[in-house]
Amino acid sequence: MNGQVNVVDHPLVQHKLSLMRMKSTSTSSFRALLAEVSLLLGYEVLRDLPVQPVTIDTPIARTTVPMLDGKKIVLVSIMRAGAGILDGMLQLVPSARVGHVGLYRDPHTLAAVEYYFKVPKQMGDRDAIVVDPMLATGNSAVAAVTRLKETAPRSIKFVCLVSCPEGLAAFHRHHPDVPVHTAAIDSHLDAHGYIVPGLGDAGDRLFGTK
Ligand code: URA
């Protein structure tokens, strides 16, 4: 497989993901778990963020300490299920900017069709983190990152909860330069484009629309 994939196999992430997979898990629990897992994924994904030296005064002395510039981070949510990942990540970096990409899956071809795109200005100074719970066919992720690259952000990472070999291969065929961070690589895709065993439709489970 081309491209970089980081499987976040921390036991807390794995346990919470297992709860999310259960079909008996309620909408409210699913939503809370997704926010918790996203925070933990974010902790891992943001580990190489650049920090700047800033001079401060402690109660004892003046010193120079490392600090993040949160405004340089743009979380780009693939609508609609990406919204579930935003909550947890924004807890970690409340000053991050947020972009949205609206794509729907054509039910016949499974191709991604764009209907909305809005990101902050001056993307060239910013590190973009694209979020979507499921990397299934890869069509949405590929289209979102292709579109985002037109704005030339300083860097791009892709974060999902569950991926599969087909989605990872498609993603890295188009974007070998974009690392993927995921909590799981599942077995395969079914004929309808669902990840097996997966967790079902992440948007429906998050918003209770089924
Ligand atoms: N989107 C989902 O929400 N779930 C899948 O299994 C595949 C795509």
Side-chain angles (χ1 to χ4, degrees):
M1 199 180 286
N2 276 331
Q4 194 192 323
V5 183
N6 174 27
V7 180
V8 181
D9 58 359
H10 191 290
L12 276 172
V13 171
Q14 295 304 315
H15 176 77
K16 290 176 192 295
L17 173 58
S18 300
L19 292 172
M20 293 177 74
R21 289 183 187 278
M22 294 175 190
K23 66 178 181 186
S24 56
T25 296
S26 68
T27 299
S28 61
S29 299
F30 187 92
R31 197 178 291 149
L33 285 161
L34 182 54
E36 290 167 18
V37 178
S38 305
L39 190 146
L40 296 168
L41 284 175
Y43 183 77
E44 184 65 28
V45 170
L46 299 172
R47 68 162 52 244
D48 61 355
L49 274 184
V51 288
Q52 309 296 333
V54 175
T55 301
I56 60 153
D57 294 306
T58 76
I60 309 298
R62 177 157 290 192
T63 186
T64 301
V65 293
M67 292 197 77
L68 285 176
D69 184 352
K71 292 183 189 136
K72 298 280 184 201
I73 300 167
V74 186
L75 304 175
V76 180
S77 168
I78 301 183
M79 291 151 70
R80 71 187 159 142
I85 297 189
L86 283 181
D87 289 352
M89 294 227 176
L90 282 170
Q91 276 190 52
L92 285 178
V93 270
S95 55
R97 303 311 198 217
V98 177
H100 288 92
V101 186
L103 300 160
Y104 68 87
R105 273 210 293 187
D106 182 293
H108 304 296
T109 64
L110 303 184
V113 184
E114 181 184 311
Y115 64 88
Y116 189 79
F117 184 81
K118 183 97 181 176
V119 295
K121 294 191 172 59
Q122 286 144 10
M123 287 295 285
D125 294 338
R126 303 182 193 276
D127 298 303
I129 299 170
V130 182
V131 300
D132 193 0
M134 310 300 279
L135 181 60
T137 60
N139 291 341
S140 304
V142 166
V145 171
T146 300
R147 181 70 175 85
L148 186 64
K149 280 182 173 175
E150 291 173 16
T151 69
R154 186 165 61 181
S155 69
I156 307 180
K157 291 176 179 173
F158 183 83
V159 179
C160 62
L161 195 58
V162 182
S163 61
C164 61
E166 296 90 331
L168 287 167
F171 187 80
H172 279 137
R173 199 162 49 246
H174 291 86
H175 300 297
D177 53 320
V178 177
V180 175
H181 298 261
T182 183
I185 305 176
D186 276 11
S187 164
H188 64 280
L189 276 185
D190 73 11
H192 305 287
Y194 282 93
I195 296 177
V196 182
L199 47 71
D201 186 304
D204 282 338
R205 298 209 55 198
L206 180 62
F207 297 113
T209 43
K210 205 162 200 172

